[in-house]
Amino acid sequence: MDQDVLRNIALSYSPMVDRQRSFAATRLTVSALRSGQPLQADQLLAAISEVWPHAGTRVSLNVMSETLLNDLLRAKPVSNVMIEIPSFIACDPQNTAAIQELHSNGNTLLLHGRPTMLLPRELLSCFKYSIIDLAEDRRKNETTGPGEPGVTRSVGFIQSGVRTVAEMENSFGRGAVAILGWPIDDVTADSGVKKGAPDMGVLVELIRRVDDGDDVDKLEAVLKRDPTLAFQLMRYINSPAFGLSVEISSFRHAIMLLGYKRLKRWLALLLATASKDPNLRPVMYASVRRGIFMEQMVAPAGDDEMRGEVFICGVFSLLDKLFHRPFDDLLKTIPVPERVYQALAEGVGPYSPYLELARAVESETAPVINELAEQLLVGLAEVNRAVLATLTLASQLE
């Protein structure tokens, strides 16, 4: 992937989550950080096509550069690429023909922001959804459900700016097809891990036994106490992202092929994704992406041990919220390497900057991404490649 555009932009991502708490799409925000540098839409689309090929899952492009966006409107993205078009660009008659052509190409178009002037009539049918920030939503205090009187909209809407579970529920109640982002702090504050406690207990015991080097029979006996977990483990191990060419048919077979280090890695992943609360599903997705992103960032220079440790660091980075316990207390019951403990419990050590960067690419804070990349002595292109690789690998696990 040699696209020059990756050297001059910062990519960040956030989920577009539907009312079933599933990923409807990934929102990829593209921020220009190198003024005066040419940004070409065809290079951006080439990079994106490696993650979201034709007929693949959907991505919504939020392009923060007006020049790049105008170029993108006149390019030919594959049909599963959704494009967010700011209302001021949609209202400009010079863009009408380009928008109509994108629509005829099969691209889903999202109108971003409330228009300050009338949208050209011929474009009304081109936009499938509008993106409405909660702070600007004139109907946010209405409590009627979708399809009931008083909530009529000409197009469906996606809500942004949601910060709490109550706001999320109200948005879905007013007919939102999805929300952008996820109120992680509020969701985890209301949930806890009681619903997933049995799974958590088995996983913690397994991690301990793997850490102690117990034999396969003992590990298998523990896993058999929870068939659901056994199924999840086999599903993950057999996924394309795991990179094994041999079909794994049993837990014993998995241990023989993987070894204890890789097994512990995937037990850690399951520990972060074991809760049955649907509101926590996007939180689990975030944990997985953090682990993969951090591993991708150290992959060029790190050894196997370092890659494994930063993966666990990212996957575990939300456990304090899920368990409602501080890391220094929580990690007394879950064995982790010292460098992982430093990053999670103390916010120091060699892995801490990578964790901060992982958080930054989730929050669309392009200047922070640039600053953290400079601190790590890596270029934006390396960070962007890690973002795209993360989204590729994560999609293979879902």
Side-chain angles (χ1 to χ4, degrees):
M1 191 185 299
D2 300 321
Q3 290 85 359
D4 289 337
V5 69
L6 294 181
R7 301 188 182 97
N8 302 310
I9 61 175
L11 297 179
S12 54
Y13 58 83
S14 59
M16 186 179 292
V17 183
D18 63 23
R19 62 180 60 248
Q20 283 75 42
R21 283 42 171 180
S22 298
F23 270 33
T26 296
R27 185 195 212 191
L28 191 67
T29 295
V30 183
S31 303
L33 286 176
R34 299 287 187 263
S35 59
Q37 296 295 325
L39 299 175
Q40 298 182 7
D42 59 342
Q43 293 182 356
L44 176 64
L45 291 173
I48 288 172
S49 67
E50 298 182 23
V51 183
W52 292 278
H54 182 69
T57 56
R58 295 198 297 174
V59 58
S60 177
L61 283 185
N62 176 33
V63 179
M64 306 298 286
S65 162
E66 185 174 349
T67 302
L68 182 58
L69 180 57
N70 278 317
D71 193 16
L72 181 64
L73 293 182
R74 288 153 181 83
K76 292 184 177 180
V78 294
S79 59
N80 61 317
V81 173
M82 301 189 293
I83 299 175
E84 300 179 23
I85 302 178
S87 59
F88 74 92
I89 288 182
C91 290
D92 186 342
Q94 294 184 8
N95 297 318
T96 298
I99 292 173
Q100 287 178 311
E101 186 171 351
L102 281 174
H103 175 64
S104 64
N105 186 49
N107 296 103
T108 297
L109 304 182
L110 312 177
L111 182 65
H112 195 173
R114 192 166 58 200
T116 56
M117 60 185 74
L118 287 177
L119 195 68
R121 180 172 296 181
E122 58 268 35
L123 293 185
L124 290 177
S125 61
C126 291
F127 291 96
K128 186 170 184 178
Y129 303 117
S130 60
I131 297 175
I132 302 175
D133 191 272
L134 183 62
E136 299 177 354
D137 192 345
R138 291 171 292 182
R139 296 176 171 88
K140 63 184 176 182
N141 294 320
E142 295 180 4
T143 57
T144 51
E148 296 180 24
V151 207
T152 303
R153 295 184 188 270
S154 57
V155 295
F157 76 101
I158 296 165
Q159 194 93 77
S160 61
V162 172
R163 299 288 180 266
T164 69
V165 172
E167 290 174 350
M168 173 188 73
E169 297 292 359
N170 286 338
S171 294
F172 284 134
R174 291 194 309 277
V177 297
I179 66 170
L180 280 172
W182 195 250
I184 287 179
D185 289 341
D186 199 46
V187 164
T188 52
D190 286 348
S191 297
V193 297
K194 291 182 180 179
K195 294 181 181 179
D199 294 352
M200 299 285 187
V202 172
L203 278 167
V204 169
E205 183 175 351
L206 278 169
I207 291 173
R208 282 178 176 167
R209 288 182 178 273
V210 171
D211 207 53
D212 292 340
D214 282 5
D215 60 39
V216 176
D217 290 337
K218 291 181 180 179
L219 297 178
E220 196 168 31
V222 175
L223 189 69
K224 284 178 179 177
R225 287 164 26 198
D226 196 321
T228 301
L229 272 183
F231 170 78
Q232 286 181 297
L233 182 61
M234 300 309 296
R235 182 169 66 88
Y236 279 123
I237 291 174
N238 282 311
S239 70
F242 209 83
L244 293 177
S245 58
V246 179
E247 182 80 8
I248 297 177
S249 57
S250 69
F251 186 57
R252 177 182 295 274
H253 187 199
I255 296 175
M256 291 170 59
L257 286 176
L258 301 177
Y260 279 28
K261 285 187 178 180
R262 289 190 82 185
L263 178 60
K264 183 177 177 180
R265 163 195 172 103
W266 288 94
L267 288 172
L269 177 63
L270 287 176
L271 179 60
T273 60
S275 174
K276 299 177 178 66
D277 185 344
N279 275 348
L280 290 177
R281 195 175 301 142
V283 182
M284 299 169 187
Y285 291 156
S287 298
V288 174
R289 280 163 173 74
R290 284 187 186 182
I292 296 174
F293 174 76
M294 292 175 66
E295 183 181 36
Q296 290 296 313
M297 284 300 303
V298 305
D303 54 23
D304 288 343
E305 182 179 19
M306 185 179 185
R307 289 198 295 270
E309 288 185 2
V310 296
F311 176 83
I312 289 176
C313 185
V315 168
F316 278 7
S317 62
L318 290 168
L319 285 187
D320 61 330
K321 298 180 183 298
L322 293 172
F323 279 90
H324 295 180
R325 292 168 63 186
F327 275 119
D328 59 350
D329 180 38
L330 181 62
L331 297 181
K332 292 175 183 177
T333 63
I334 305 172
V336 297
E338 177 62 23
R339 292 180 290 190
V340 175
Y341 180 90
Q342 289 176 336
L344 296 179
E346 301 170 353
V348 298
Y351 298 159
S352 183
Y354 292 101
L355 181 56
E356 289 301 311
L357 182 57
R359 292 178 177 132
V361 299
E362 297 170 353
S363 57
E364 303 179 357
T365 50
V368 177
I369 294 172
N370 191 39
E371 180 181 348
L372 291 171
E374 289 177 349
Q375 291 176 12
L376 287 168
L377 302 179
V378 298
L380 283 171
E382 293 175 73
V383 178
N384 292 329
R385 290 189 188 100
V387 168
L388 294 173
T390 295
L391 297 174
T392 300
L393 292 170
S395 67
Q396 295 172 353
L397 291 173
E398 292 160 9

